[in-house]
Each structure stands twice: as structure tokens, then as C-alpha cells.
Amino acid sequence: MVQDVARQVAEQVRTGFGLRLSSMERVTHGADQHARLWLAQAADGNRYAVKLSGGGTPAGLVVTAYLAEQGVPGIAAPLRAVDGRLSLDHHGRRLSVVPWVSDQRALDGPMTGAHWRAYGEVLAAVHAAPVTDELSRLLPAGGAAYPSIVGATRAMAARLRDPDPADLADPLVAELAGVWSAVADRLGTLTREVERRAVEQRDRRGSNVVCHGDPHLGNLLLGADGRVWLIDWDDAVLAPPECDLMFVLGGVLAFAPITAGQQRAVLAGYGTADVDAVRLAWFLTVRALDDLSDWTRQAVDLDAEAADRSRAARIVRGLVSPVGLVTLADAALRDLDGQR
């Protein structure tokens, strides 16, 4: 079945993009359940990222094409199909082809000081790009999905507070019910604060810019001479810069925390950053709830593969750990209260 999909995709790439592929290797890292990615080599030896996307929006391809045209560094422009489109439909998914720019993920390191600085330079250049009318129409607003995220968090809390006996017999469900019980008070505070501060976010001064929406180290590739590439733009949004900067200033990945020195290097590349602490804490909290509810959903899915469930459970444990996103969001909100 997997080989059949690869053959179908390769044929569509040949007819739709005019690109004859000699090999396709499945790439399995990444958190998007709705995506499939291959490292493909063309007959001329050039390599490409061939992707089927089911999540996010097609606007991400428009954004990267636009940013590359604007000369923004660290952006790989997607190939256009023979009819000029940036993607083709493949059984309800978006098929896109992008040059393969690096084998080295930032998560796997090592990141030099030059890489950290370039990370900031790329984010600054993205945020400085003029917002066109087309991008205004296509890109969703950052954080706009918070009501559904809050709803999903409360629904999962209710499910794990009173699980079905059949579910409770599953070791992972039983464990995560205990995890959620231990942080129930914190989660109650986070959901209330997200709702309470949502109106305040709309009223706070600050301009919306093009944001990647998910620029953590898993979406950063390392190049030669300190160069970096920011990939996977499926979650691109229009939002204040804090929507992206929280990945540097707030810390998002429990297994890859960013040190104070690394933060300074990123900001040295970014330049002047007038960061709004309230907005930063709000985006951080929305992300914490989204990650926790979604990864927990995957971990307690009894129909999913055991390895996928186990990985999701590890991420949930990290999210509620002392260096995890739930803890960091709670601390950021407490700091705001202390500033009153």
C-alpha cells in the first residue's frame, strides 16, 4: 500500500511538475499526522522534498513563494507545476515539491553561534516582509482557533477525569488520567486565562506580520557557513511577532530547551524586538493547551499504532515536566500577575 502511494505520487510529479524521479525515500520524522514526506531524487541528481499535506492551509506554499521572491534568506521556494500552480490535488491532499536544502535538522545539531544568529535573521526578515492583499485574504489569524483549543482541552479533561472502564484498562490511558489529574488545577487556570485575555489581545497595540506559526528547531535545517532554512509552512498565520518569538523566548520543546546564551544569539540576529510580555504569555498558553490536548488525544487512541501512542505519551510527559510548555506557560502568567 505504501509503495503504491509512492508510485502514484511519483507519476503525478512526472506529469504535473514535469519532474522524473529516480527514487523516493520515506521520511518519518515530524509531528503532522496528516502529512507524508519523501526525499526524492530526480534523474539529473537533484533532490527534492515531495510532500502530501492534509493539515494546515495551502497558504503556506503561497507564503514561501512570496518570501523567496522578496529575497528572504532561509526560504526554499516551492516548484510550480506545469500549469503554474504551487500544488496539485492528490485524493484530497496537497501535493507539493520543494528543493531538498539540507539533511541536517537543528534538533540533531550541532548548532553553532552563527546558526543561532541566522535563525534570528530569518525570523526578522519574515516579519519585515510587506503583507500583501493576497496574504491578508489567505492567512488565518494567529491564535484565532483558541476557542476550539480550549474546548478540546476541557473535553479531554472530562474524559480522563471519568474514563470508561474499558479505556481505564489500557495502561497508557490510566497513566495519562493520573497525569491530567496532577495538573488539573493548572490547566483550569490556563484555560480561564486564555479566554479572559483573548479580548485583551485584540485590543492591544501591535501590527500583524507574516509568521511561520511553528518555527521550533524541528522545522529548522542547518546549512554550511552558519546558514539555516525554515521549513514546513503549513501553519503560517498573520499575527504579532510574539507568535513566532515565543519559540525562542518562551521555550516550547521540553527535550530541547533554549539557553539564555542561545536566546541572546537569536536576538542579536533578529535585531530590535519590542516584545509584549502579555501577548507572549497568551500565545505560549494557547500553544501549551493545544499541544497537551492533541498529543494526549493521540496517546489515548486505542486504534493507533503502539509506537505512535508511546511517542505521544512521552511528549505529554515532557509538556507537564518542570521544563515543559505547560509549566512555562503557567510561570509566564504568574509573572504577569506579579507585575500588576
Side-chain angles (χ1 to χ4, degrees):
M1 177 63 179
V2 173
Q3 289 300 320
D4 288 343
V5 173
R7 281 194 291 269
Q8 293 170 11
V9 168
E11 177 60 19
Q12 191 170 8
V13 169
R14 185 186 69 81
T15 59
F17 288 90
L19 191 64
R20 189 179 298 275
L21 303 179
S22 58
S23 67
M24 288 180 66
E25 177 184 346
R26 180 77 186 274
V27 179
T28 56
H29 58 68
D32 188 352
Q33 288 184 308
H34 307 290
R36 287 191 181 184
L37 176 66
W38 291 269
L39 166 55
Q41 184 163 316
D44 61 4
N46 289 322
R47 298 192 300 167
Y48 298 90
V50 176
K51 185 175 184 180
L52 287 179
S53 301
T57 73
L61 294 169
V62 177
V63 170
T64 50
Y66 167 70
L67 293 176
E69 290 170 359
Q70 292 290 306
V72 174
I75 306 297
L79 272 64
R80 290 190 178 272
V82 293
D83 62 4
R85 288 183 291 169
L86 293 170
S87 66
L88 302 177
D89 179 76
H90 182 89
H91 303 299
R93 294 185 178 185
R94 296 183 305 278
L95 173 60
S96 60
V97 181
V98 179
W100 187 274
V101 292
S102 173
D103 293 322
Q104 190 173 7
R105 295 194 307 159
L107 272 183
D108 301 327
M111 281 185 73
T112 65
H115 285 129
W116 286 106
R117 184 183 181 95
Y119 181 20
E121 290 171 350
V122 169
L123 289 178
V126 169
H127 296 167
V131 178
T132 65
D133 290 341
E134 181 183 24
L135 294 182
S136 295
R137 291 193 306 270
L138 290 177
L139 289 179
Y146 83 87
S148 63
I149 292 170
V150 168
T153 303
R154 286 178 172 148
M156 184 58 68
R159 175 182 173 183
L160 293 179
R161 188 168 53 243
D162 187 22
D164 292 333
D167 286 350
L168 202 54
D170 180 85
L172 273 185
V173 175
E175 178 195 350
L176 293 181
V179 168
W180 277 64
S181 176
V183 296
D185 289 344
R186 270 195 287 171
L187 292 181
T189 298
L190 296 186
T191 52
R192 289 191 297 272
E193 285 296 291
V194 164
E195 291 179 317
R196 183 175 74 83
R197 295 181 182 273
V199 174
E200 181 182 348
Q201 295 311 303
R202 292 195 295 268
D203 295 338
R204 294 184 77 82
R205 296 180 60 187
S207 59
N208 286 337
V209 299
V210 175
C211 284
H212 179 281
D214 200 25
H216 57 70
L217 299 186
N219 286 330
L220 196 70
L221 301 180
L222 306 183
D225 301 323
R227 189 174 187 180
V228 299
W229 300 87
L230 190 55
I231 62 170
D232 196 354
W233 286 75
D234 286 345
D235 296 315
V237 292
L238 284 182
E242 287 84 357
C243 182
D244 278 347
L245 291 176
M246 71 168 177
F247 289 83
V248 176
L249 301 176
V252 170
L253 301 180
F255 55 89
I258 296 178
T259 68
Q262 291 163 348
Q263 289 177 353
R264 288 193 293 271
V266 175
L267 292 178
Y270 189 86
T272 303
D274 186 14
V275 177
D276 185 305
V278 175
R279 190 176 287 125
L280 187 76
W282 188 80
F283 278 113
L284 198 64
T285 305
V286 171
R287 177 65 184 233
L289 296 178
D290 193 18
D291 277 5
L292 185 66
S293 60
D294 190 55
W295 285 112
T296 301
R297 176 189 58 78
Q298 296 178 48
V300 301
D301 181 359
L302 302 184
D303 295 326
E305 295 291 335
D308 294 335
R309 295 186 63 208
S310 179
R311 174 180 180 241
R314 287 197 302 272
I315 294 173
V316 171
R317 297 184 199 108
L319 287 166
V320 300
S321 72
V323 294
L325 188 50
V326 171
T327 304
L328 296 174
D330 184 54
L333 291 173
R334 291 178 186 274
D335 287 345
L336 293 181
D337 291 336
Q339 294 171 12
R340 290 180 178 177

